[in-house]
């Protein structure tokens, strides 16, 4: 059934490997992915897709569509890099790359993520045309997954509303489908304003914004004992008020990130953090201004869709590595610590307990087990709007961690390319199953309705908050 599409994808592999390598070298940060988005669009246009650029008001967000009528299957792609992670390719030590001009690096493998999703969409288009199957495949060019939550802005604009289902994947150290739950999150800047004064001669005239900020942080640190176990609150001081201790700081700011397993828990926690900020302002005689930054939702897991994707992944089988892949992975793993292997081992079922540098089987999917990931992803917002599934394929040596130089250095290796190709085939095969067997879509939608328990999607980003690229323009 899928063989022709898989052969087609294999035939395209050299061109798409080159695309992925190019995006690796661009290493552009969230909302600045101009070259990466342009490269994707160029390929998609050549493949005959209809392109809509600059969706949701974001210059690097785009849609590419082929086919007509329903069902409409969305395939989600990302392409943003991480700051200051420039790293030489295929190295065995941390060393910035002379190839990467931006100074950044693809430490989360999003160059592979976007390219495999893109190639899957091309494969599905070819299938729809060859077989005369009715339906639409839509590739989503999603910017700024890393903390910018591009998909959440896109969901707020209704761009996923007409989908029958959405499919995506993430590169990793293992090959599997898991019920991975992620944390919902809200981020906001808290700016305190006080009164400057000579800290020695007239301290009584000053009102310290830095005091206010410190009181807020202390208040939040006392809150920790009384919040849901899996909730997280992080902060960064973005403005400490200056470098002079003898001037009472008139202004200070922190960026807060408030996370919890469910959207409603984040809302409640966010409110408590606001109360603490107001209390800190009152105690210090300062004012506080809250500027909402961004956020994303928790994941609505979809067992039927995950199961379907898993069956395709299992049928296709794990990547086959050659001696070169094995030799490099074995050496690279020596640069990691045993604790990193242990942390990754938590993801695994009993089927894979023998640590090898390359994960060469498909780890089993158990729909009863939810693997809690304490990060956040804007795929969560898509999952609230339409049934969504995602898989992971091994693109990196086991024991190497996301957001590390070791992931960047592996980004153009045979290991990464093999995982990328497997992901493209898995996504394409799953989409084709949905087009051919509408019962899969019905089952996924029934499950999705049950899982949401009557709660409608409410975008965590308020209607008046502009996407970050537009904010800069508005402030100019
Ligand atoms: Zn990622």
């Amino acid at each position: 059934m899928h063989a022709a599409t898989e052969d087609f994808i294999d035939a395209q592999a050299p061109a798409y490997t080159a695309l992925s390598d190019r995006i690796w070298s661009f290493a552009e940060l969230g909302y600045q992915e101009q070259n990466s988005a342009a490269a994707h669009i160029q390929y998609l246009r050549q493949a005959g897709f209809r392109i809509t650029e600059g969706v949701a008001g974001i210059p690097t967000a785009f849609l590419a569509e082929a086919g007509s009528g329903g069902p409409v299957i969305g395939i989600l792609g990302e392409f943003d890099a991480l700051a200051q992670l420039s790293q030489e390719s295929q190295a065995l030590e941390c060393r910035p790359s002379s190839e990467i001009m931006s100074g950044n690096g693809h430490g989360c493998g999003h160059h592979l993520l976007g390219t495999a999703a893109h190639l899957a969409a091309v494969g599905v288009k070819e299938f729809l045309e060859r077989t005369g199957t009715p339906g639409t495949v839509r590739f989503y060019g999603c910017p700024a997954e890393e903390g910018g939550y591009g998909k959440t802005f896109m969901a707020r604009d209704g761009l996923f509303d007409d989908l029958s289902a959405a499919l995506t994947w993430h590169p990793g150290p293992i090959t599997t489908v898991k019920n991975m739950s992620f944390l919902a999150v809200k981020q906001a800047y808290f700016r305190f304003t006080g009164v400057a004064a000579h800290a020695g001669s007239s301290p009584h005239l000053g009102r310290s914004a830095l005091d206010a900020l410190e009181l807020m942080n202390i208040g939040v640190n006392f809150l920790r004992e009384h919040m849901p176990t899996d909730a997280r609150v992080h902060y960064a001081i973005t403005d400490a008020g200056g470098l002079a201790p003898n001037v009472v700081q008139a202004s200070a700011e922190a960026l807060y990130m408030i996370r919890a397993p469910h959207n409603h828990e984040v809302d409640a926690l966010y409110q408590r953090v606001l109360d603490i900020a107001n209390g800190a302002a009152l105690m210090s005689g300062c004012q506080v201004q809250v500027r909402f930054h961004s956020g994303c939702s928790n994941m609505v897991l979809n067992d039927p869709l995950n199961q379907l994707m898993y069956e395709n992944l299992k049928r296709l089988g794990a990547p086959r590595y050659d001696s070169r892949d094995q030799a490099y992975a074995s050496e690279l793993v020596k640069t990691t610590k045993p604790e990193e292997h242990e942390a990754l081992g938590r993801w695994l079922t009993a089927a894979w307990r023998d640590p090898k540098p390359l994960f060469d089987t498909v780890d089993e999917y158990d729909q009863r087990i939810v693997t809690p990931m304490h990060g956040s992803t804007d795929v969560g917002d898509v999952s609230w709007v339409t049934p969504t599934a995602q898989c992971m394929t091994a693109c990196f040596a086991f024991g190497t961690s996301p957001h590390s130089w070791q992931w960047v250095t592996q980004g153009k290796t045979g290991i990464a390319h093999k995982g990328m190709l497997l992901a493209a085939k898995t996504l394409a095969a799953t989409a084709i199953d949905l087009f051919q067997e509408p019962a899969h879509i019905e089952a996924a939608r029934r499950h999705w309705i049950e899982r949401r328990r009557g709660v409608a999607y409410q975008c965590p980003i308020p209607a008046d908050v502009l996407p970050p690229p537009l904010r800069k323009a508005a402030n100019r």
Side-chain angles (χ1 to χ4, degrees), residues 78 108 110 145-146 170:
E78 300 164 9
C108 208
H110 293 182
E145 192 278 336
E146 299 288 357
H170 202 289

Side-chain angles (χ1 to χ4, degrees), residues 76 78 142-143 145 149-155 160 378-379 382:
L76 316 176
E78 300 164 9
C142 306
E145 192 278 336
Y149 311 122
K151 293 182 205 71
T152 312
F153 288 101
M154 292 165 82
F160 304 101
D378 55 9
V379 176
V382 182

Side-chain angles (χ1 to χ4, degrees), residues 194-252:
V195 179
H198 191 293
S201 62
S202 51
H204 58 291
L205 299 179
R207 296 292 178 268
S208 170
L210 182 59
D211 286 359
L213 185 57
E214 290 195 77
L215 287 166
M216 176 183 177
N217 295 343
I218 289 166
V220 169
N221 289 334
F222 272 98
L223 170 73
R224 291 180 196 282
E225 193 187 344
H226 308 286
M227 58 187 211
T229 309
D230 283 323
R232 299 279 189 272
V233 180
H234 326 288
Y235 60 82
I237 297 175
T238 48
D239 175 9
L243 300 174
N246 59 349
V247 179
V248 173
Q249 291 84 352
S251 189

Side-chain angles (χ1 to χ4, degrees), residues 178-182 298-304 306 365 367 369-371 383 388 390 444 447-448 451-452:
K178 293 238 178 282
N179 273 323
M180 287 184 184
S181 69
F182 292 86
N298 64 280
M299 191 79 87
V300 181
L301 297 167
N302 198 289
D303 293 332
N306 275 347
Y365 170 64
Q367 62 177 48
I369 297 172
V370 175
T371 309
S383 76
T388 303
Q390 64 177 330
H447 188 85
W448 174 70
R451 263 246 152 92
R452 288 190 315 155

Side-chain angles (χ1 to χ4, degrees), residues 68-312:
S68 62
V72 186
I73 305 299
I75 304 182
L76 316 176
E78 300 164 9
F79 31 74
D80 58 328
L82 288 156
Q84 297 174 331
L85 263 187
S86 168
Q87 164 64 36
E88 204 159 282
S89 179
Q90 305 197 42
L92 288 169
E93 60 179 6
C94 181
R95 197 166 58 209
S97 165
S98 51
E99 265 180 274
I100 306 177
M101 304 312 288
S102 66
N104 306 312
H106 270 289
C108 208
H110 293 182
H111 63 301
L112 305 166
L113 200 171
T115 306
H118 170 162
L119 177 53
V122 175
V124 174
K125 175 180 182 284
E126 191 274 338
F127 161 83
L128 292 175
E129 285 166 0
R130 176 168 42 81
T131 57
T133 305
T136 302
V137 60
R138 191 183 297 146
F139 174 75
Y140 285 81
C142 306
E145 192 278 336
E146 299 288 357
Y149 311 122
K151 293 182 205 71
T152 312
F153 288 101
M154 292 165 82
R156 192 179 69 175
D157 260 29
L159 294 175
F160 304 101
D161 287 0
D162 66 337
L163 288 183
S164 309
L167 307 175
T168 191
W169 76 293
H170 202 289
I174 62 173
T175 299
T176 190
V177 173
K178 293 238 178 282
N179 273 323
M180 287 184 184
S181 69
F182 292 86
L183 300 180
V185 59
K186 280 188 171 176
Q187 293 192 53
Y189 288 96
F190 291 81
R191 176 162 289 282
F192 291 92
T193 309
V195 179
H198 191 293
S201 62
S202 51
H204 58 291
L205 299 179
R207 296 292 178 268
S208 170
L210 182 59
D211 286 359
L213 185 57
E214 290 195 77
L215 287 166
M216 176 183 177
N217 295 343
I218 289 166
V220 169
N221 289 334
F222 272 98
L223 170 73
R224 291 180 196 282
E225 193 187 344
H226 308 286
M227 58 187 211
T229 309
D230 283 323
R232 299 279 189 272
V233 180
H234 326 288
Y235 60 82
I237 297 175
T238 48
D239 175 9
L243 300 174
N246 59 349
V247 179
V248 173
Q249 291 84 352
S251 189
E253 184 192 68
L255 174 61
Y256 261 81
M257 200 168 179
I258 297 149
R259 313 205 231 204
H262 300 100
N263 290 350
H264 66 270
E265 291 165 316
V266 170
D267 291 342
L269 207 51
Y270 184 73
Q271 197 52 51
R272 292 170 75 189
V273 172
L274 284 180
D275 288 345
I276 290 170
N278 286 324
L282 192 63
M283 280 192 279
S284 57
C286 294
Q287 269 88 47
V288 62
Q289 191 198 9
V290 184
R291 207 166 79 250
F292 191 92
H293 177 53
S294 199
C296 72
S297 296
N298 64 280
M299 191 79 87
V300 181
L301 297 167
N302 198 289
D303 293 332
L305 216 47
N306 275 347
Q307 185 70 43
L308 184 66
M309 197 181 259
Y310 175 66
E311 276 157 26
N312 278 306

